[in-house]
Amino acid sequence: LDRMEVIRLSGYDLQEKVKIAQDYLVPNSMREVGLWPPVDGKPGPAKDSESMEPAAEAGIARVEVETPTSVQEDQSKPALSLPKASIETSAVEALIRWYCREAGVRNLQKHIEKICRKLATKVVEHREGKDKEDENAKPADIAKPESGKTGQDGELVELHVTEAGLSDYVGKPLFTSDRLYEGQLPAGTVTGLAWTALGGSVLYIEATALPRPGAGGAGGAAKAGQPSLSVTGQLGNVMKESSQIALLVARRQVAVRLPADHAGFFEEHDLHMHCPEGATPKDGPSAGVTMTTALLSLALGRPARSDLAMTGEVSLNGKVLAIGGVKEKTIAARRAGCRALVFPQANQRDFEELPEYLRQGLEVHFAATYDDVFAAAFPEVSEAAPAP
């Protein structure tokens, strides 16, 4: 590797996956199962007026279903009329959001092929059912149709896939809501951002405190002067070290921002920090500011902004250090409904290089020190109290 250049590529975002599905995955899958005849014997999107492009502009990935002329049928049988097969754009977006969160599109292609096979099965079952009805029908019934019927096959099989009916084709969603908490967060809980193999995800940090027996009294003065923090959630060594640094930074912030009679909060309580989903191993150097904010939220008794998500490592002197995975973490924040973000100042250039549709509608704070993070998380407190 010392003689090679390593190029790291980020995964596709939602808009890119939808475009790939509309232009390639859906047309190819429809042709493979015979719902859309091949164009000049070549797979891929059609180049004529019957292609998907008009449907894509209308917001629907649509393909025409035509009966091949090469099929040898009895001329006496009425032609089987079929509707247009289509997959709504909202259904494709739901498929990406709740079923296929990988960086590429291979799993998305498998799900689309599965949908197309089930649509083709509907066509075959419908045709076989009409053939059996024609065989069992009496000649008089065929010659004299009932009032209101045309004598032709007027029944249409449903080939329109919507978001509401997506589970009928691919089963229950594999992923649920990204938000563990709906509405206001409790004090001591802050939303962080993490990079995973499937892209970005939100990472909640929960902190709680229990008063120590005798803390603040004569008999417990020595014990109260030794802050302790326990961490759970299958955290790696890097995150465990970050939690200890976060405690030191939080103690220094509390010593300045709280009155003297409340400045010993961490010394008078047993502290515990947890990252939910303990079965999933977690490690990385970008949770320092989130841990610090969770401890300060607990000490202040004030919840952080519910629509705020943050990422970044903090040093002993309160410097916020750069992180990676800005694009993936931004996508995760938008997916979780977080419209306010905190990134390190060193990552401002990385954020500005993102596409406009990813940056649109976001309130982004770039922090050089932890004081900038505090001002974004607790704006009413930062205005009332001086910074350390």
Side-chain angles (χ1 to χ4, degrees):
L1 290 177
D2 59 337
R3 297 179 180 270
M4 301 176 65
E5 180 182 1
V6 179
I7 301 177
R8 302 186 183 275
L9 302 176
S10 59
Y12 297 116
D13 55 41
L14 177 63
Q15 285 77 5
E16 292 170 343
K17 289 184 178 182
V18 170
K19 185 64 175 177
I20 293 173
Q22 290 179 340
D23 289 350
Y24 299 100
L25 301 183
V26 172
N28 292 346
S29 301
M30 289 292 186
R31 292 191 184 101
E32 287 178 0
V33 298
L35 293 179
W36 193 0
V39 179
D40 297 331
K42 298 180 181 180
K47 300 299 182 182
D48 56 6
S49 60
E50 298 297 329
S51 65
M52 287 187 56
E53 296 177 0
E57 295 178 359
I60 297 178
R62 183 180 299 279
V63 285
E64 303 287 344
V65 178
E66 302 177 2
T67 304
T69 56
S70 59
V71 178
Q72 300 296 329
E73 293 182 330
D74 187 355
Q75 298 297 329
S76 61
K77 288 185 178 181
L80 182 64
S81 61
L82 294 176
K84 296 177 181 178
S86 62
I87 303 179
E88 289 187 353
T89 300
S90 59
V92 176
E93 293 177 353
L95 193 64
I96 296 170
R97 185 184 300 271
W98 307 119
Y99 296 86
C100 311
R101 289 190 179 178
E102 76 279 3
V105 294
R106 180 171 298 181
N107 196 29
L108 177 61
Q109 179 182 5
K110 293 180 179 179
H111 281 73
I112 291 177
E113 290 175 348
K114 183 177 182 180
I115 293 174
C116 293
R117 287 194 298 267
K118 291 194 174 183
L119 291 176
T121 302
K122 281 188 175 183
V123 174
V124 174
E125 292 175 348
H126 184 69
R127 180 182 295 274
E128 291 179 350
K130 298 308 297 182
D131 289 343
K132 290 182 180 180
E133 291 181 4
D134 294 343
E135 292 177 359
N136 297 331
K138 297 180 180 179
D141 297 335
I142 298 178
K144 298 180 180 180
E146 296 180 6
S147 176
K149 295 185 179 180
T150 63
Q152 299 289 328
D153 178 24
E155 298 181 2
L156 299 179
V157 59
E158 178 62 39
L159 298 179
H160 183 65
V161 181
T162 63
E163 181 180 358
L166 192 61
S167 59
D168 297 336
Y169 296 90
V170 291
K172 296 181 179 180
L174 301 179
F175 301 94
T176 57
S177 175
D178 292 81
R179 296 190 67 90
L180 182 62
Y181 295 91
E182 298 295 339
Q184 184 63 56
L185 297 174
T189 301
V190 179
T191 305
L193 298 172
W195 182 92
T196 65
L198 299 179
S201 65
V202 294
L203 179 66
Y204 287 94
I205 302 294
E206 300 175 335
T208 187
L210 294 176
R212 291 182 175 181
K223 184 177 180 181
Q226 301 175 359
S228 64
L229 175 65
S230 301
V231 293
T232 56
Q234 202 171 162
L235 306 184
N237 293 330
V238 176
M239 291 191 70
K240 289 180 180 178
E241 292 180 353
S242 296
S243 67
Q244 296 300 319
I245 296 176
L247 177 59
L248 293 175
V249 175
R251 289 177 61 192
R252 187 171 62 181
Q253 291 280 336
V254 165
V256 176
R257 298 183 183 276
L258 288 183
D261 54 342
H262 292 84
F265 175 85
F266 294 119
E267 290 77 8
E268 299 171 358
H269 293 78
D270 291 323
L271 307 174
H272 189 95
M273 184 179 295
H274 176 68
C275 294
E277 298 183 4
T280 304
K282 309 172 189 67
D283 203 5
S286 61
V289 295
T290 313
M291 292 180 171
T292 305
T293 306
L295 292 173
L296 285 174
S297 173
L298 186 65
L300 296 173
R302 292 177 175 269
R305 290 180 56 179
S306 59
D307 62 340
L308 177 69
M310 61 183 65
T311 181
E313 185 61 15
V314 64
S315 68
L316 278 175
N317 293 324
K319 297 292 184 181
V320 179
L321 308 181
I323 49 87
V326 173
K327 179 180 179 180
E328 290 79 5
K329 293 177 180 180
T330 302
I331 294 174
R334 297 184 67 95
R335 189 170 57 223
C338 297
R339 298 305 177 187
L341 305 179
V342 174
F343 282 123
Q345 181 69 44
N347 292 108
Q348 183 173 359
R349 180 179 177 182
D350 299 328
F351 181 82
E352 292 175 350
E353 292 177 352
L354 297 180
E356 177 63 26
Y357 60 82
L358 288 180
R359 295 184 283 116
Q360 186 176 6
L362 294 179
E363 174 191 343
V364 184
H365 304 267
F366 297 101
T369 64
Y370 184 77
D371 293 333
D372 302 328
V373 180
F374 188 90
F378 310 101
E380 69 284 350
V381 178
S382 60
E383 294 176 359

